[in-house]
Amino acid sequence: MDNHSPVPMIELRHVEKYYGDLHVLQDINLSVRKGEVVVIIGPSGSGKSTLCRSINRLETIDSGEILLEGAPIPREGKKLAELRAQIGMVFQSFNLFAHMSVLDNITLAPVDVLKKGRKEAREEALQLLERVGVRDQADKVPAQLSGGQQQRAAIARSLAMHPKVMLFDEPTSALDPEMIQEVLNVIAELAKEGMTMLIVTHEMNFARRVADRVIFMDGGQIVEENTPDRFFSDPESQRARDFLHSLHAE
Amino acid sequence: MKTGNIRDYLYESPGPRTRKRIRIITGIALLGLLVLLGLIVLQFSVTGQFDAKYWSFFTKWTTWRFLGQGLLTTLEAALTGSAISFTLGFLLMRGKFQGKLIRGISTFLIEFTRGVPTLLFIYFFFLVVPKTGWKPSAFWKITLPCAISACGVVAEALRSGVNAVPGGQREAALSLGLSERRTFYRIVFPQAFRFVIPSLIAELVIVLKDTTFAYVVSCADLMQNAKVLISNYDAMLSIYLVVAVIYILINYLLNTLSERIAGSQRRGIQTIPGTNKGVAAHG
Amino acid sequence: MGFTDLLSKYGEQYFQALLTTWRLTAISFAGAFIIGILITVARVSPIRPLRIFGDIYVQIFRNIPGAALLILLVYALPYLQIVFSYDLCVTAATILIPSAFCSEHLMSGMNTISPGQIEAARSLGLTFLQMIRRIIIPQALRSSVLPLTNLLVATMLTTSLASQVPMRPRDLTGIVSYINTHDTGGVMAFVISAILYCLTAFVIGKAGSLVDRKVRILR
């Protein structure tokens, strides 16, 4: 596994974004290497979700550059769609397509976008479902699955596109507590297999477990960046210290 | 039923090329619509419909007062009809919660009134009822059939309102010792009624639209008065247009009111997750 | 007049009237559906003038009374030198009014789609058209089955407007007015028409429920 490829997988340079008067992203500079797992944590409103979503242009930025493998993200049209196919995204509210079976959810994009054969897509989808542990739910519709099962199916849906990088926007925040672990385990497995990942989460133990790097955001800025061990045991900035303290106080 | 949500999130922030394309098509569309408008205006002027003789009487107060009298009758008929249809609908709704026979009759009557056009009921009151010896006035000959035609829909709306009240409400009342009857009238129905107000207003609009058939029974509503004006001034197009606009405006306002009430209700009532209990949220 | 007397004298005409009502209902609903789709496309498009046009269209035709529209078409339009046949006027009215409601139902159907699904479709690399075809249209249609079924029944009720103009053959409402003005039809004449209307509505309702149960989206 080449951890030191010259071109970073994802790069954000001097990214700025305003939401009216709110400066939601302030001079964001970030670089994610291939195979690296970067976890972003921070209080609500810190801009971490916005950062994550701007990488595949679900959110637009006002200035700065976002690059995937050195190439800037297109702003519109077919090129943008093609690029998005290479970035996998897992949402807080799963967002499975309500009118299709779980299996069809997974084969839709490979068939329509990657132009894969239907049979091939089906077989691969079943394997992916097996991998995330919801193979037996393949023919059910999303409404019949629990939250944890839906999220795992959503992860399989993204994996079916063989993305170069996966983005996770608070993947377990909408789950009942007993289902969080099953989803985190799947994500941890992916990390172990070498997928490049950017994860926004509140799960600190999980961050400590899988992250290669932890980024702390607050008020639209990247306040601190460090390895998980160093960050969690001895944060450098006062804001990070306050944040971690407020979590432990629960 | 103006729900504009998907329009807000169907499109993402357009890039420069897309923005240009949208601007061009917007220009073309605007042009097309203006041309359409222009053609209509042209046709009006070519046929002389903009002549003062077709419009000048609208500046007279007496014209509007006359129309206003007709409108008053229309509103009277609509409101009376709605009130009657509410009463009938309520009875039918209650009937559906009773024993098998009454439930069957109620269901039949509901389906009957929903499946038959109002005009047929109007003809019934116009052509058949007088022959039985009961000779209602023209007002009732239009109000009653409109009421009957609407009561089935009202019954179903009330029933869905009752079903929407969380079951816990009834259970709580019963366990406090209230009788079924009291539970219904003091606890369940008042809440159901609030849910149902938007549909009732929508039904008022339908009844109002049905009352425009008052000319069939020679009742002096807005349409009838318009006819009189027309024979006075020989201005069919302008008068009927104005009357149509009046109807559209009134119904539009009523529908908007109904939607607004429905919207504020949606925001105000939350269900505690995991139960079937409802709780009013504030703010 | 008794049931058997009525049938023997007017049975054939009742049958014709039933077919007329059915025919008018079918044509009107088809027309209303097509126009409804076009208006909905306009209302959902990113082109502001089209949206405004679509919204105004819907507000006009869902709020205008059928009688007022029919009278405008039949009596007022000729003053603009636009003269349509009675048949065309009635058909126009029975298409225009349901088309507005059709658009409302389709919009409601579309609004059942959560914004998240659209974002997910985008993230997977689907183009806008692919998204419309695979995500939006199927869900909008499948969610609109029951309202559209009710609209079909409402269209049938609206076709009773045909009784207000000298249209031949008469529809189920017109035939009753005819029988009662030229003969002593009495209550029975109404009952026959009413039953025929009701049965049609009942069958439509049941068919609609069946379709809905099959294609309904669980949420």
Side-chain angles (χ1 to χ4, degrees):
Chain A
M1 189 173 60
D2 184 8
N3 260 341
H4 300 283
S5 17
V7 179
M9 182 63 81
I10 296 177
E11 202 178 342
L12 280 79
R13 293 183 193 158
H14 301 293
V15 168
E16 306 264 353
K17 182 176 171 70
Y18 286 86
Y19 225 46
D21 285 333
L22 219 60
H23 201 172
V24 293
L25 291 178
Q26 300 179 27
D27 193 30
I28 303 289
N29 293 282
L30 173 60
S31 186
V32 181
R33 294 187 305 271
K34 180 169 173 185
E36 202 183 356
V37 175
V38 172
V39 172
I40 306 183
I41 62 172
S44 326
S46 55
K48 48 190 203 298
S49 262
T50 311
L51 191 160
C52 181
R53 288 157 57 87
S54 60
I55 296 177
N56 66 351
R57 209 187 171 276
L58 287 182
E59 301 276 352
T60 51
I61 56 175
D62 294 322
S63 68
E65 291 180 281
I66 303 182
L67 307 154
L68 180 76
E69 281 186 319
I73 311 263
R75 279 187 288 182
E76 58 189 336
K78 211 149 193 288
K79 291 250 174 343
L80 176 58
E82 282 166 4
L83 178 120
R84 281 179 171 146
Q86 300 174 49
I87 303 178
M89 179 124 186
V90 176
F91 298 86
Q92 183 176 341
S93 37
F94 339 130
N95 294 335
L96 291 172
F97 304 127
H99 61 307
M100 301 174 154
S101 70
V102 167
L103 190 64
D104 287 337
N105 256 275
I106 303 191
T107 57
L108 171 66
V111 168
D112 276 15
V113 178
L114 301 178
K115 310 292 186 212
K116 260 206 180 128
R118 199 162 286 248
K119 212 156 176 270
E120 195 192 335
R122 250 187 78 95
E123 276 160 23
E124 204 186 315
L126 289 168
Q127 281 170 12
L128 283 170
L129 287 175
E130 179 80 51
R131 200 167 137 196
V132 301
V134 289
R135 167 81 171 79
D136 50 340
Q137 311 289 330
D139 293 316
K140 295 211 182 128
V141 287
Q144 296 172 298
L145 273 62
S146 72
Q149 290 169 326
Q150 287 189 53
Q151 190 64 301
R152 285 183 278 153
I155 295 175
R157 180 176 62 173
S158 296
L159 286 174
M161 295 296 281
H162 299 290
K164 295 185 176 154
V165 54
M166 285 199 50
L167 308 172
F168 293 82
D169 185 6
E170 302 204 36
T172 57
S173 296
L175 294 176
D176 289 337
E178 66 270 16
M179 296 192 257
I180 293 182
Q181 210 45 239
E182 69 199 36
V183 173
L184 291 180
N185 288 343
V186 168
I187 302 179
E189 267 301 307
L190 282 177
K192 217 189 294 183
E193 288 162 13
M195 172 68 78
T196 315
M197 295 155 103
L198 187 94
I199 310 175
V200 175
T201 185
H202 289 302
E203 298 288 324
M204 299 304 154
N205 292 331
F206 175 72
R208 219 173 168 150
R209 207 168 106 207
V210 297
D212 293 321
R213 204 177 358 143
V214 168
I215 294 181
F216 174 71
M217 271 187 82
D218 190 12
Q221 299 171 316
I222 292 183
V223 174
E224 199 176 323
E225 231 179 287
N226 223 326
T227 64
D229 288 327
R230 268 183 257 157
F231 178 79
F232 285 109
S233 52
D234 187 22
E236 287 166 12
S237 65
Q238 183 60 42
R239 279 197 270 179
R241 261 195 284 266
D242 291 341
F243 176 67
L244 290 176
H245 191 76
S246 72
L247 294 175
H248 289 307
E250 283 167 21
Chain B
M1 225 198 311
K2 198 178 277 188
T3 37
N5 305 347
I6 189 152
R7 311 210 273 199
D8 301 327
Y9 53 78
L10 185 56
Y11 304 100
E12 48 179 341
S13 290
R17 220 179 16 167
T18 314
R19 237 181 311 219
K20 197 168 102 184
R21 239 181 257 167
I22 290 181
R23 246 191 314 232
I24 294 177
I25 302 181
T26 301
I28 297 177
L30 200 58
L31 200 67
L33 287 173
L34 286 174
V35 163
L36 190 65
L37 201 62
L39 284 174
I40 295 175
V41 170
L42 188 68
Q43 194 68 6
F44 265 78
S45 69
V46 155
T47 53
Q49 286 298 319
F50 279 135
D51 272 4
K53 64 173 165 157
Y54 293 126
W55 299 92
S56 60
F57 52 86
F58 279 118
T59 56
K60 283 197 255 178
W61 159 241
T62 48
T63 306
W64 291 105
R65 190 181 59 187
F66 188 57
L67 283 176
Q69 285 164 345
L71 182 58
L72 217 57
T73 310
T74 293
L75 292 175
E76 243 189 282
L79 287 167
T80 314
S82 291
I84 297 175
S85 78
F86 179 79
T87 316
L88 293 173
F90 181 80
L91 290 170
L92 286 172
M93 181 267 294
R94 285 298 278 154
K96 278 202 113 170
F97 286 112
Q98 309 299 343
K100 240 185 165 177
L101 179 63
I102 301 186
R103 195 172 351 134
I105 297 177
S106 296
T107 311
F108 172 72
L109 287 174
I110 291 176
E111 292 309 310
F112 184 74
T113 56
R114 289 177 75 183
V116 175
T118 313
L119 258 179
L120 201 58
F121 285 123
I122 293 176
Y123 274 125
F124 182 76
F125 273 82
F126 178 55
L127 295 171
V128 174
V129 166
K131 295 193 185 146
T132 65
W134 173 33
K135 296 201 201 304
S137 69
F139 177 81
W140 290 110
K141 278 203 277 228
I142 182 70
T143 304
L144 287 175
C146 290
I148 292 175
S149 183
C151 72
V153 181
V154 170
E156 287 294 273
L158 289 174
R159 193 167 69 97
S160 73
V162 167
N163 287 334
V165 176
Q169 297 290 298
R170 178 175 162 271
E171 287 166 13
L174 289 176
S175 50
L176 282 170
L178 272 73
S179 65
E180 280 280 14
R181 205 160 185 278
R182 232 193 215 147
T183 306
F184 182 80
Y185 285 100
R186 295 291 234 87
I187 310 291
V188 175
F189 187 69
Q191 295 186 49
F193 184 70
R194 283 185 62 232
F195 282 147
V196 157
I197 289 177
S199 340
L200 292 182
I201 298 181
E203 198 51 34
L204 172 63
V205 170
I206 295 177
V207 170
L208 202 151
K209 287 199 272 182
D210 281 342
T211 62
T212 53
F213 292 116
Y215 65 85
V216 173
V217 301
S218 310
C219 171
D221 75 328
L222 180 58
M223 289 283 263
Q224 283 289 82
N225 282 13
K227 267 207 186 131
V228 172
L229 270 181
I230 288 171
S231 56
N232 274 357
Y233 294 107
D234 191 29
M236 208 175 242
L237 181 60
S238 57
I239 292 179
Y240 272 137
L241 266 180
V242 168
V243 164
V245 168
I246 293 176
Y247 275 115
I248 292 175
L249 278 176
I250 294 178
N251 291 334
Y252 172 73
L253 289 172
L254 284 172
N255 274 325
T256 308
L257 176 67
S258 152
E259 277 157 28
R260 200 126 324 156
I261 295 179
S264 72
Q265 274 182 351
R266 257 197 305 269
R267 278 189 291 279
I269 312 248
Q270 280 176 358
T271 312
I272 303 171
T275 68
N276 61 352
K277 301 195 192 320
V279 136
H282 292 282
Chain C
M1 226 197 227
F3 182 64
T4 37
D5 294 327
L6 268 174
L7 266 191
S8 56
K9 203 168 176 191
Y10 295 107
E12 176 66 32
Q13 290 182 329
Y14 263 112
F15 183 65
Q16 284 303 320
L18 182 64
L19 289 181
T20 304
T21 294
W22 280 353
R23 184 175 46 91
L24 201 50
T25 304
I27 296 176
S28 306
F29 188 74
F33 190 68
I34 293 173
I35 295 185
I37 290 182
L38 292 173
I39 294 289
T40 305
V41 168
R43 291 171 77 193
V44 154
S45 73
I47 318 284
R48 215 151 164 262
L50 287 179
R51 280 196 187 186
I52 296 175
F53 171 75
D55 285 341
I56 293 180
Y57 176 94
V58 167
Q59 289 310 318
I60 290 179
F61 289 108
R62 67 177 285 212
N63 288 314
I64 193 170
L69 179 60
L70 189 60
I71 288 179
L72 273 177
L73 291 172
V74 171
Y75 297 112
L77 272 194
Y79 284 84
L80 287 175
Q81 276 155 22
I82 306 173
V83 185
F84 295 139
S85 67
Y86 285 123
D87 224 13
L88 193 55
C89 286
V90 171
T91 311
T94 52
I95 287 181
L96 289 170
I97 293 179
S99 71
F101 288 103
C102 179
S103 177
E104 290 282 73
H105 293 322
L106 290 175
M107 288 286 277
S108 293
M110 280 207 245
N111 285 325
T112 61
I113 305 171
S114 61
Q117 288 187 58
I118 295 181
E119 287 195 334
R122 243 176 239 150
S123 311
L124 286 167
L126 286 160
T127 63
F128 185 71
L129 282 176
Q130 285 174 324
M131 197 169 69
I132 299 273
R133 199 169 72 91
R134 303 289 241 125
I135 314 290
I136 310 247
I137 291 182
Q139 289 196 48
L141 286 177
R142 287 168 62 174
S143 304
S144 313
V145 171
L146 280 180
L148 288 177
T149 305
N150 288 335
L151 185 62
L152 180 54
V153 173
T155 307
M156 178 187 75
L157 299 180
T158 311
T159 61
S160 61
L161 278 175
S163 61
Q164 300 304 295
V165 296
M167 222 182 84
R168 300 283 175 274
R170 298 194 173 80
D171 78 315
L172 276 176
T173 305
I175 190 121
V176 173
S177 127
Y178 172 76
I179 292 176
N180 268 296
T181 45
H182 289 81
D183 211 325
T184 48
V187 182
M188 200 38 81
F190 282 87
V191 170
I192 296 178
S193 271
I195 299 279
L196 288 173
Y197 270 121
C198 275
L199 282 176
T200 312
F202 181 76
V203 169
I204 292 176
K206 278 284 175 258
S209 294
L210 275 172
V211 173
D212 173 68
R213 217 167 305 164
K214 278 202 91 187
V215 303
R216 184 171 44 174
I217 300 174
L218 286 170
R219 288 185 197 274

